[in-house]
Amino acid sequence: MNFTPTPGQKVLLLWGASVGEDILVDTVNTLREKVGQQGSVAVENIERLLVSCHAVSSFDVVLCGLPSPGAVTHPTEVLSEIARLLRPGGKLVLREPVTTEDINSEHKIRSSAKLASALKLSGFVDIGEPHEFPLPASQLSELKKELEIEEGTVSLMEVCARKPNFEVGSTIKLNFAKKGRSKSDENTSKIWTLSADDTLDEDVELIDSDQLLDEEDLKKPDPESLKASCDGAKKRKACKNCTCGLAEKLEQEKEPIPQSNTSACGNCYLGDAFRCASCPYLGMPAFKPGEKIVLNDRQLKADV
């Protein structure tokens, strides 16, 4: 094991169902010797961890799958629960069988890279490099049989991680109060401030603002250049408050609406007897409403 508990620490040991009783007892006795009388060692089956009644931030160290060669896997919900039980800055050491080949999703086993990713998503930091825990060929064969894996390479990896130095859900108040101005800030503001009593250095040449403009800048622009441009494909339209003269120009370009001769009384088709003195049909023969009027040659000739 790359990490050894120190005296006075509280340790939680998680074990799987396939671990023998004698191996589990030896592991617990070894841990108790490490932590001493001031420390403590708690034992919990990993399958019962989610329904256990351990308080938040109860342990300094959590050890998972150390009694080998148990095929202990750590789902995301288990890793999140371990993060809840660890104190800020607490250590996690776990052993989990991993594979270097892609296996169907129905198997719980994963690669070492996916194991590190699961630890990050559960809130752990300072995730160390996985170290292979050596096992005899017979134990590796039993491990693959327990995981129901017939093909692929399986190895037992040990990974260390740490909980951040703050509790999950903790908050901190940000102070946005303005700090007092330092002496350097006051000196800086004085550099850019001039009062009426300040005198200018006579050696400093001031730029004449009239020299910033040349003759081209002073020329009055052509009114035609200020009018709205038109590419011919789009209809020109003057602004609401047009001042360039486009609105007047468009008003002049409007085509006059042809005025048709209309009857005021509606009896023009009956003949001159029913027409008024200003009737446009005066002198024309009677016609039916809507009929096209055709004049003969005599009516088209002027009277001599």
Side-chain angles (χ1 to χ4, degrees), residues 168-272:
V168 177
S170 59
T171 58
I172 184 172
K173 185 178 180 180
L174 299 178
N175 187 10
F176 293 101
K178 294 183 178 180
K179 298 181 179 179
R181 297 181 62 183
S182 61
K183 188 175 181 180
S184 60
D185 295 336
E186 294 178 358
N187 295 334
T188 304
S189 61
K190 289 180 180 180
I191 295 175
W192 300 100
T193 304
L194 292 176
S195 63
D197 298 332
D198 294 333
T199 57
L200 296 175
D201 191 352
E202 297 179 357
D203 297 333
V204 177
E205 294 185 4
L206 298 180
I207 300 176
D208 187 3
S209 59
D210 295 335
Q211 297 180 357
L212 299 177
L213 300 176
D214 53 18
E215 295 181 359
E216 293 293 332
D217 298 328
L218 297 176
K219 287 183 179 180
K220 187 177 181 180
D222 185 7
E224 293 295 330
S225 64
L226 302 177
K227 294 182 180 180
S229 61
C230 178
D231 55 2
K234 299 181 181 179
K235 186 178 180 180
R236 290 183 297 174
K237 186 177 181 182
C239 302
K240 184 178 182 180
N241 300 322
C242 179
T243 58
C244 67
L246 180 60
E248 291 80 0
K249 186 175 181 180
L250 294 178
E251 190 68 25
Q252 295 175 1
E253 293 178 355
K254 289 183 178 179
E255 296 181 359
I257 301 175
Q259 297 181 356
S260 58
N261 296 328
T262 57
S263 172
C265 60
N267 298 325
C268 300
Y269 68 94
L270 297 176
D272 288 345

Side-chain angles (χ1 to χ4, degrees), residues 56 60 79 85 87 102 109 133 140 145 149 160 162 171 178 180 189 203 208 219-220 223 225 243 250 259 274 285 299:
V56 180
D60 300 302
L79 294 176
L85 298 180
R87 292 178 179 176
D102 293 334
I109 190 171
F133 187 81
L140 284 176
K145 185 177 180 181
I149 297 176
C160 296
R162 184 178 62 84
T171 58
K178 294 183 178 180
S189 61
D203 297 333
D208 187 3
K219 287 183 179 180
K220 187 177 181 180
S225 64
T243 58
L250 294 178
Q259 297 181 356
F274 298 92
Q299 291 177 319

Side-chain angles (χ1 to χ4, degrees), residues 6-152:
T6 58
Q9 288 184 330
K10 294 184 178 181
V11 180
L12 173 63
L13 177 64
L14 300 177
W15 56 281
S18 60
V19 179
E21 183 179 354
D22 53 345
I23 299 177
L24 182 61
V25 172
D26 293 340
T27 305
V28 172
N29 292 333
T30 303
L31 292 173
R32 285 177 177 174
E33 293 178 359
K34 299 292 184 181
V35 300
Q37 295 180 355
Q38 297 180 354
S40 62
V41 178
V43 182
E44 186 73 56
N45 191 313
I46 193 170
E47 296 179 359
R48 301 288 300 173
L49 180 63
L50 298 178
V51 295
S52 62
C53 56
H54 298 291
V56 180
S57 302
S58 303
F59 303 98
D60 300 302
V61 182
V62 175
L63 307 175
C64 306
L66 263 63
S68 301
V72 179
T73 57
H74 305 83
T76 305
E77 56 271 15
V78 172
L79 294 176
S80 300
E81 179 65 13
I82 293 174
R84 187 185 72 87
L85 298 180
L86 276 173
R87 292 178 179 176
K91 205 80 172 182
L92 167 65
V93 181
L94 61 84
R95 290 178 187 170
E96 180 174 321
V98 298
T99 179
T100 56
E101 302 176 6
D102 293 334
I103 298 181
N104 297 335
S105 58
E106 61 183 8
H107 295 86
K108 297 181 180 179
I109 190 171
R110 51 195 165 187
S111 64
S112 57
K114 291 185 178 180
L115 174 59
S117 177
L119 289 170
K120 290 180 182 179
L121 294 176
S122 301
F124 290 96
V125 296
D126 297 341
I127 302 172
E129 288 291 333
H131 296 279
E132 183 176 358
F133 187 81
L135 289 177
S138 58
Q139 292 185 353
L140 284 176
S141 178
E142 294 178 2
L143 193 62
K144 292 179 65 175
K145 185 177 180 181
E146 186 176 352
L147 293 170
E148 299 180 356
I149 297 176
E150 299 179 357
E151 300 179 355

